[in-house]
Amino acid sequence: MKQALMKGQKQSGWFRGLLVIFFTWVLCMGCMSMSCAAVQPTETEAQTETEAEPVTVKATMNVSAKTKQKTAVYQQASTTTKKVTTLSKGKELMIKGELSVQGVSWCRISATVNGKTVNGYLKKSSVKQYDMFAQNTGKTNTKVILRKTMSTTAKKVATLNKNTKVTVYSKQKKGKYTWYYVSAKLNGKTKKGYIVTKYVNLTKTTVKSTIKKAARVKESTGLYKTANTKDQKYATLDKETEILVLGTLTVGTVKWSKVKADVAGKMVTGYIKSSKVGSWKITNYVKYGVGKLNEAYDLKAEPNVNATKIKHLKKGIEVSIDGYVKMGDVIWYHCMFLSDIGFLPETVLTITDEPSKDMFYSQIENFPASYQESLTALHAAHPNWQFVAVDTALSWDYVVANENIVGRNTIQSNYPKGGSSLAPFSYLSTDEGAYDWSTDTYKVKDGTNWYAASEDVIKYYLDPRNFLTESGIYQFEALSYDSGQKINVVDAILKNTFMSGNYSVVDKLTNQTVSGPYNKLFMKAGKKAGASPYFLARTARLELGTSGSGSVSGTYAGYEGIYNYFNIGANDSAGGGAIANGLKWASGGSTGETSYQRPWTNPEKSIIGGAEYISATYISKGQNTSYYKKFNVVNYASGLFLHQYCTNVQGAASEANLAKSAYAACDMTNSEMVFYIPFYDKMPSKPCKLPETKGNPNYYLSALTVMNAESGESLSLNQTFQYKTLDYKLAAPKGTSSVKISAKAVSKYASVKINGTAVSGSETKTISVKAGKTTTVEIVCTAGNGKKKTYTLKIAVAG
């Protein structure tokens, strides 16, 4: 039987041969039951000699494994020797060596049983190796021979080309070389053998610490020595365990994070899959207050002593506090100092209820000067309010240009269809794609009367300074859940709407009646989704109106029994269909999606599931105010300007007005509130204004015709009339003494004058002309808004 080669063989070949013969004789004389150490042959002899198998083996390996089934461990590699213990199925152990006895492969193992280390032997067939010093993977860095044993002269198993992928099971030193025991797939077959380590590049499973970011574990996961599930497992980290992310790397297609976590009271550094890493979150809110530093300390970007420094704060400085998060045994307060927001540990702060008189002024110093007068007035009226300056780092012109893309912002008007209500003509865009100058036609963007808003209107609603008012300020209020939020405010928001009472429907899936009060349902949805119930109630009211709509009737054709209280997915078009599109989404769509509790077959599923959707897609991504939800200038991950809840340019302002009314009804306008107010680079020195209310803007002609006044013959212009072409010539035949000119405006709101005389409809203006002379005629078209366009016609008569 060929024996495994072991380290430390220094005897010459002939001497070792004599020893083999001697031990063979001893075994044959009846000593088979005694334990004897295996004497190792030379590498050359290992290819040819067969001897009686030993029953013990030296520890030459360190390979992790698990038992395949319940199995016994023996004192030696024989079932006739003393049984040391029994290992259960799936028990982790370490293989220290291997040997074969009478054709049966055995493993020398080490395992921990009841807290004690047990050594012994079990059959190799009962265990499964699962790592080397972490069963790593790698690639050959050159063409290399895979050997049967750890010798450069050993039998060749296969030849591996450069970049052949291998699985590495163990690492051993033999003579002057260190070897990997590996397997590789060749032509569909697995080949195993040994390669000198320098010819294999192992997959990188460790990374330097390059970041220090606080996080939490999203779901229970193993903490490993390296980025390899086959490596030593330090511990299992429970869901919500606080961790510090130190670095990241990708192994194959799997992303890993190097983290530091508290394991049994000790901080241990290891690796978990990045998919298990979640963001830290402030889950425990406190009454908005003030903290005074009792010693100098760095404001940290993350709730951890090793996190990045934002700013060094001196002793005695005051910071505002809006919440805290517990990381390990330390409470970290979420603080703001001037425009800087970060974390400070409770140990360096003395918490007070009231800020000093200078607190507010240190806040508004972070705002541009054009903000400060309005904020000072609000502070005087509401001293409990706090204002956080948010520097978007975006230029004003860049933001305006992107929000002015046709279709991103709309406004409701009845003027284009002949009415005289809602937004005037001057509020509507005349950009390409929004308006056709040749026909005076505004293109409907949503519903039946929603049109693209003009740039000046967009600027007005985009400019935060226009809403630093008693009602407008609420569009900057945080939309996240707060345990201090009250049900009577929800009542005030829902007052005089179909949601002011109870709901009661029969769920079409369960055939059970689902009923209850709306106010409690919005409170429940807010808490469950981490969203403000005030915001949820306002959104539902704005979307559905006071009487409701087909989105929540439960009787909409084709979608009976489906409800959509927030009109999620209700994308409208010129042909209508917004309600149908929204109900399709609420039903799960064509693929039957079940996320966010869909299908929404009752109000509870719709309101709670809708709240979870809004929270997950907006609030948790930084769009946590009505302003940011409407104008996405903060959420880079979802695409600036692209991830916006509605196209209604007045949406955030409307929500703010509704919030003000609700808070006023509950006498809450003087409560403690924090408003997150953005500003931009290179803003205009003064707040942008809405355009003046004016009429239709079209000042073009749709037709210009000329005829001989005496003969009635039509006279041709030098070129075909085009409404944007302003200059024309006409060559009249000899003998022409006068012509009749007719000019018609594109818009019914425009007026036309020919050489100062008003004409309308089919009216003409007679102009005298002279032979051999050129007569110039001016046709002026005046739009409904007063703007004018002048066309020039030069008439030359032959002499």
Side-chain angles (χ1 to χ4, degrees), residues 528-793:
K528 188 175 179 67
S532 164
Y534 306 163
F535 155 67
L536 296 175
R538 293 198 306 263
T539 301
R541 176 169 177 155
L542 285 169
E543 290 292 336
L544 304 174
T546 57
S547 303
S549 73
S551 296
V552 294
S553 67
T555 60
Y556 194 89
Y559 295 99
E560 292 82 358
I562 300 295
Y563 302 83
N564 192 339
Y565 276 76
F566 301 113
N567 276 337
I568 297 170
N571 303 311
D572 213 337
S573 62
I579 291 177
N581 289 338
L583 291 175
K584 180 179 180 180
W585 194 93
S587 69
S590 58
T591 59
E593 285 288 335
T594 58
S595 58
Y596 306 109
Q597 302 193 32
R598 289 180 289 173
W600 292 341
T601 51
N602 63 57
E604 292 182 6
K605 286 184 177 180
S606 176
I607 291 174
I608 294 175
E612 291 174 336
Y613 172 83
I614 294 171
S615 180
T617 54
Y618 289 92
I619 297 173
S620 66
K621 292 188 175 182
Q623 291 176 257
N624 62 339
T625 69
S626 295
Y627 181 93
Y628 293 143
K629 190 163 61 72
K630 170 63 198 90
F631 301 113
N632 179 18
V633 294
V634 291
N635 180 3
Y636 284 80
S638 298
L640 293 181
F641 318 113
L642 298 177
H643 191 255
Q644 301 185 154
Y645 189 77
C646 64
T647 61
N648 179 7
V649 73
Q650 299 170 307
S654 297
E655 281 193 33
N657 289 333
L658 189 55
K660 167 62 166 52
S661 298
Y663 290 145
C666 300
D667 195 26
M668 289 182 58
T669 55
N670 289 318
S671 300
E672 294 140 337
M673 294 185 181
V674 178
F675 302 99
Y676 296 88
I677 307 168
F679 63 90
Y680 305 92
D681 292 340
K682 299 179 181 179
M683 295 182 73
S685 59
K686 295 182 179 180
C688 298
K689 295 182 179 181
L690 284 170
E692 294 180 19
T693 299
K694 291 184 176 181
N696 185 282
N698 200 305
Y699 45 28
Y700 286 114
L701 295 178
S702 62
L704 177 62
T705 59
V706 184
M707 69 173 59
N708 190 311
E710 289 83 15
S711 66
E713 178 188 2
S714 293
L715 301 177
S716 298
L717 301 175
N718 66 318
Q719 57 184 305
T720 301
F721 178 80
Q722 298 286 338
Y723 76 97
K724 286 186 177 181
T725 302
L726 303 181
D727 296 314
Y728 296 91
K729 294 179 181 180
L730 186 150
K734 186 175 181 179
T736 304
S737 61
S738 61
V739 296
K740 287 185 177 181
I741 300 175
S742 173
K744 186 178 180 180
V746 171
S747 173
K748 65 181 181 179
Y749 299 101
S751 60
V752 180
K753 288 184 178 181
I754 302 176
N755 277 0
T757 301
V759 295
S760 61
S762 59
E763 290 182 354
T764 60
K765 167 72 174 177
T766 301
I767 302 291
S768 297
V769 294
K770 294 182 179 180
K773 300 287 185 178
T774 298
T775 303
T776 299
V777 180
E778 287 190 345
I779 304 98
V780 178
C781 185
T782 303
N785 64 6
K787 290 188 176 182
K788 299 178 180 181
K789 187 70 72 175
T790 300
Y791 292 80
T792 301
L793 172 61

Side-chain angles (χ1 to χ4, degrees), residues 346-599:
E346 61 176 341
T347 54
V348 304
L349 290 173
T350 300
I351 311 300
T352 61
D353 291 332
E354 298 293 335
S356 67
K357 291 182 180 180
D358 294 333
M359 186 72 179
F360 165 74
Y361 298 101
S362 66
Q363 288 182 5
I364 67 165
E365 284 177 357
N366 297 286
F367 288 94
S370 57
Y371 282 67
Q372 294 181 11
E373 183 178 348
S374 297
L375 290 174
T376 300
L378 286 173
H379 172 68
H382 307 279
N384 290 324
W385 287 2
Q386 292 189 50
F387 308 103
V388 179
V390 180
D391 184 355
T392 65
L394 301 172
S395 74
W396 173 254
D397 288 343
Y398 171 71
V399 174
V400 170
N402 279 277
E403 288 292 353
N404 192 39
I405 292 175
V406 172
R408 284 190 180 167
N409 284 280
T410 61
I411 195 165
Q412 202 172 22
S413 176
N414 287 325
Y415 281 88
K417 294 186 177 181
S420 58
S421 61
L422 301 176
F425 280 116
S426 55
Y427 283 27
L428 309 182
S429 173
T430 56
D431 290 345
E432 185 177 354
Y435 177 73
D436 188 342
W437 287 93
S438 67
T439 59
D440 190 27
T441 302
Y442 290 88
K443 296 184 179 180
V444 176
K445 293 300 175 183
D446 280 320
T448 59
N449 63 347
W450 288 88
Y451 303 91
S454 71
E455 181 177 303
D456 286 340
V457 169
I458 293 171
K459 285 181 178 179
Y460 175 82
Y461 286 100
L462 189 61
D463 191 338
R465 296 170 297 184
N466 289 317
F467 302 98
L468 303 181
T469 63
E470 288 282 347
S471 59
I473 191 68
Y474 290 100
Q475 66 180 277
F476 307 113
E477 176 194 6
L479 301 181
S480 52
Y481 177 75
D482 187 327
S483 60
Q485 289 161 338
K486 302 174 182 178
I487 196 169
N488 62 328
V489 180
V490 176
D491 285 332
I493 295 171
L494 301 179
K495 187 177 180 181
N496 298 323
T497 75
F498 74 100
M499 296 178 286
S500 60
N502 296 335
Y503 56 90
S504 181
V505 304
V506 177
D507 190 303
K508 74 173 188 177
L509 292 182
T510 65
N511 206 31
Q512 299 293 314
T513 298
V514 179
S515 61
Y518 275 107
N519 57 0
K520 288 186 178 180
L521 179 54
F522 278 104
M523 292 296 291
K524 179 180 178 180
K527 183 176 182 180
K528 188 175 179 67
S532 164
Y534 306 163
F535 155 67
L536 296 175
R538 293 198 306 263
T539 301
R541 176 169 177 155
L542 285 169
E543 290 292 336
L544 304 174
T546 57
S547 303
S549 73
S551 296
V552 294
S553 67
T555 60
Y556 194 89
Y559 295 99
E560 292 82 358
I562 300 295
Y563 302 83
N564 192 339
Y565 276 76
F566 301 113
N567 276 337
I568 297 170
N571 303 311
D572 213 337
S573 62
I579 291 177
N581 289 338
L583 291 175
K584 180 179 180 180
W585 194 93
S587 69
S590 58
T591 59
E593 285 288 335
T594 58
S595 58
Y596 306 109
Q597 302 193 32
R598 289 180 289 173

Side-chain angles (χ1 to χ4, degrees), residues 134 136-137 202-207 225-228 231 249 251 256 271:
N136 209 337
T137 58
L202 292 180
T203 301
K204 182 181 178 182
T205 57
T206 60
V207 68
K225 183 179 179 181
T226 63
N228 187 345
D231 205 348
L249 77 159
V251 180
W256 288 79
Y271 291 80

